[in-house]
Amino acid sequence: MNLSIEQVGKRYRGDFWGLRDFTLNLGPGVLGLLGPNGAGKSTLMRILATITRPTEGRVLWNGEDIAKTPDGLRSVLGYLPQDFGVYPNLNAVEFLEYIAAVKGIDGRAARQRIDELLALVNLTEARKRPLGGYSGGMRQRIGIAQALLNDPKLLIVDEPTVGLDPEERVRFRNLLSDLGGERIVLLSTHIVSDVEATATDIAVVDRGRLLAHAEPEALLSGVEGRVWEWVLPSAELPAARERWKISSTFRRADGVHVRVVSAVPPSPDAVPVAPTLEDAYLSVLEGHRAERLEKVA
Amino acid sequence: MSAPRVVVRMVWHLLRADFLERVRRYSFLVTLAATVWLGYLVGTGKLQLWIGTVRGTFNSAWIATTMALVVNTFLSLAGFYIVKNAVDRDRQTGVGQILATTRMSKPLYTLGKALSNLAVLGSMIGVLVVAAMVVQLVAGEDRRIDLLQILMPFVLLSLPMMALAAAAAVLFETIPGLRGGFGNVVWFIVWTALIPLGIQVGGLLDPFGINLVNGNLERAAAMAFGPAKRGFVLGGIDHGNDPIQIMRWEGLDWTPDLLFTRLLWVLVAAGIALAAALFFDRFDPAQNRIGSRAAKKRLARANGAVEEAEPSFVPVPAVRLTPLPEASRRFRFLDVLRAELRLLLNGRRWWWWAGAAGFLIATLAAPLDAVQKIVLPLAWMWPMLLWSSLGAREIRFDTTALLFSAARPLGRQLPATWLAGVALAMLTGGGAAVRFLAARQWDSLGAWVVGALFIPTLALALGLWSGSGKLFEVIYLVIWYIGPLNQVPAIDYTGATAAGLASGMPLVFLGMTALLMGAAVAGRRWQLAG
């Protein structure tokens, strides 16, 4: 089972490239795709889900170009788009039966699968209610259920935890970790903690380009010894913000606790702390942006 | 800023933003092209004012009045459908939710939307003002452009009618039962009822201004060529060997009485726009004023679902998914067809089924001639609002990403959608087929088959290319009204007329069905290509 993305690019109107020269090779596991808004994550997801054709490059699923033979991938694909709709007059079971039929799943197997999926996403009790009356979180869970209907070998989920309550979010993270063992799961999000909890690999994307692809441990080791924390009086925070790339702040009785990614200690009082994935992600982004600015200069 | 200035500013910006949003869409260019085509029809004499065999010299007054009446009759129908999406757009885009949180009052909103609708229709009239001048110069019968005579008919005849259509569109959008396809049917009925009423009664019941112009032209024709029984026609007409008489006509005499009748319609339009505020829900999804007890129950249940949707903590036993056996991954076309049929028929209330059953029984029991001429056309009007979802449903409910990422969406889901539409036609008109078969009327049976294929194909193609069911609803209503119902053989797609059958119209419609199917496949291909 292999998904190979080879120098893929997508150009939109006005000569704007949503994705450029993107290369990545994936095997079973959960790939967390991290990047700021507009980085090109959703473009990549849509290309992999055979919704959008790349302008250049190719994507191979087990050696087959998905632009030429999309159905080979589609029969084993589960896709949860960032924005999607449902038919408001159908209930959950009817809607999933409809999607199952379109995906080519045998009727009896589909019914059993739907029962399991509705239990999994905690919608068994709401199964007979029209989807038009569902809350945003419930609708998102229907989206998750439809993506898993055909027991996909490639599962693509774009911002899947949007609208979910904390309990459902944790449950979905666990589910993704379970699923990742025997299939390829692509999780696109800008919520670093979701990736931290599930991903076996991480790809950082910005401005349509792949900045880093590594295991979480490798990313973390890249910032080992470069994350600092110290306490500032509130009045000095604006000056510190201008000087350092601050990854987080929190106020305490003794002042503002500031966390910074930096090669050198930002203050004599600063102490090194264990890095988080968020620190590593920000470090990759900042490193790349600084490099780009240097090139421009 | 003073309160009146704030109000004016609000209405102005509501109008401006909505107007700009609409005119920057490609569909507006199509609308303008259709308007230019209307001007071309007038210029080439295909749409012409006739008082018997009398027409006016092609001067400013005659051409502008002709075009103003063309606007009032055709654009009052088509224009209503074009602009009946202003409130819906705010609902769909979510902008309405933002507007609802501002200080803007409901009457201001509905008035602003009506003005925006009028601005869109007014811009189409503006195109025709230019077209009128071009037509006059090209025709060359009188090259003296009289700007006042050009503008007066458009401003005083057309704008009040357009204001009425613009305000009615907002009213229909604010009343839940009239928002969708049913409202489109209702406007068509209102329109077909108002035209003869206006022509016959005139005065304060003539928003189209046809009676007004007709009376004046009759008198002018009588003065020019003597009294005679003439008829008023707005359209293309073949006078055969009768000689065409041309008179010089310098336009309507705009007396205060006439001005008052036209101004009255502007006031009525403003009243309708303000009345719409009474029904406007201010984008509150919890409001549902119209609906059956069952619908209200369903809504209450749904609202209940929302309230109990996000519990703080509900312990749920861990569920593990059973792997799907490979053998269960086998596509069955019948499963998709069944699912598409269910999607098509889902949510129909008892009265819909009762109506469909009534038509089925009527097609089985009524005299064969009546079945052919009336009952079958009516039976095939009943499911119009279901067919109108074909091809457009995926865009409307934003399910394209889910469906197009499934295997072979072109070869599986699209044919199933189409066949579900055909099955619906066969179900609702099935009684007629049995009767034709029993009577061995093979030509009628053939026409029935073509009709059952043509209607859903038309719906599918138009739905796919327009992304909405409205275009099908409008076009189908018009061809249904002219063809089968008014027995015009050239548009008889059900075999309702003997002349249509004899001249091989079913074959023509079969050919059109094939073309439309090609268009539908191309449309879906285009959607799939992203």
Side-chain angles (χ1 to χ4, degrees), chain A residues 10 13 49-53 71 73-77 79-81 83-91 93-95 97-99 101-107 109-110 112-113 116-117 119-120 122 125-126 128-130 132-138 141 143 146 148-153 163-165 167-168 171 175 178-179 182, chain B residues 26 298-299 301-344 346-348 392-413 416-417 527-530:
Chain A
K10 177 68 190 175
R13 270 187 296 185
T50 72
I51 303 282
T52 300
R53 287 172 82 95
D71 289 336
L73 172 60
R74 282 171 177 165
S75 58
V76 292
L77 171 70
Y79 177 46
L80 173 65
D83 298 307
F84 69 96
V86 292
Y87 297 123
N89 289 318
L90 297 190
N91 64 37
V93 176
E94 289 166 342
F95 182 70
E97 279 177 351
Y98 173 68
I99 298 288
V102 173
K103 284 191 170 186
I105 303 169
D106 176 69
Q112 190 191 337
R113 184 85 177 165
E116 285 186 7
L117 283 168
L120 186 77
N122 197 15
E125 278 183 31
K128 292 291 179 189
R129 289 182 196 148
Y134 273 26
S135 68
M138 292 167 89
R141 283 184 265 158
Q146 68 76 30
L148 295 170
L149 259 176
N150 57 338
D151 200 4
K153 300 277 177 272
L164 297 187
D165 63 33
E167 185 215 351
E168 292 297 341
R171 223 141 66 90
L175 173 68
D178 283 356
L179 291 171
E182 54 212 16
Chain B
Y26 287 118
R298 272 202 304 275
L299 191 77
R301 275 206 304 273
N303 286 339
V306 174
E307 280 158 23
E308 64 189 77
E310 305 294 354
S312 54
F313 184 80
V314 181
V316 180
V319 178
R320 292 200 65 89
L321 289 171
T322 314
L324 201 63
E326 275 306 310
S328 64
R329 287 179 203 272
R330 44 185 184 160
F331 177 77
R332 283 195 203 166
F333 186 75
L334 270 180
D335 285 350
V336 188
L337 179 59
R338 202 180 304 125
E340 285 289 342
L341 254 178
R342 186 154 71 177
L343 198 56
L344 199 61
N346 187 274
R348 294 305 102 206
R393 193 195 292 141
E394 294 81 8
I395 299 282
R396 187 175 166 215
F397 296 114
D398 197 14
T399 56
T400 49
L402 305 185
L403 294 173
F404 296 175
S405 59
R408 297 182 60 196
L410 194 66
R412 291 174 174 177
Q413 194 251 345
T417 306
Q527 285 179 339
L528 286 169

Side-chain angles (χ1 to χ4, degrees), chain A residues 249-267:
Chain A
T249 59
F250 49 98
R251 290 175 193 275
R252 292 284 181 272
D254 55 345
V256 184
H257 288 235
V258 179
R259 192 179 175 94
V260 161
V261 181
S262 164
V264 293
S267 153

Side-chain angles (χ1 to χ4, degrees), chain B residues 160 203-204 206 212 254 256-266:
Chain B
L204 294 177
D206 182 25
L212 190 77
W254 288 103
D257 277 0
L258 277 194
L259 287 174
F260 172 74
T261 56
R262 301 313 292 165
L263 180 67
L264 190 73
W265 285 108
V266 178

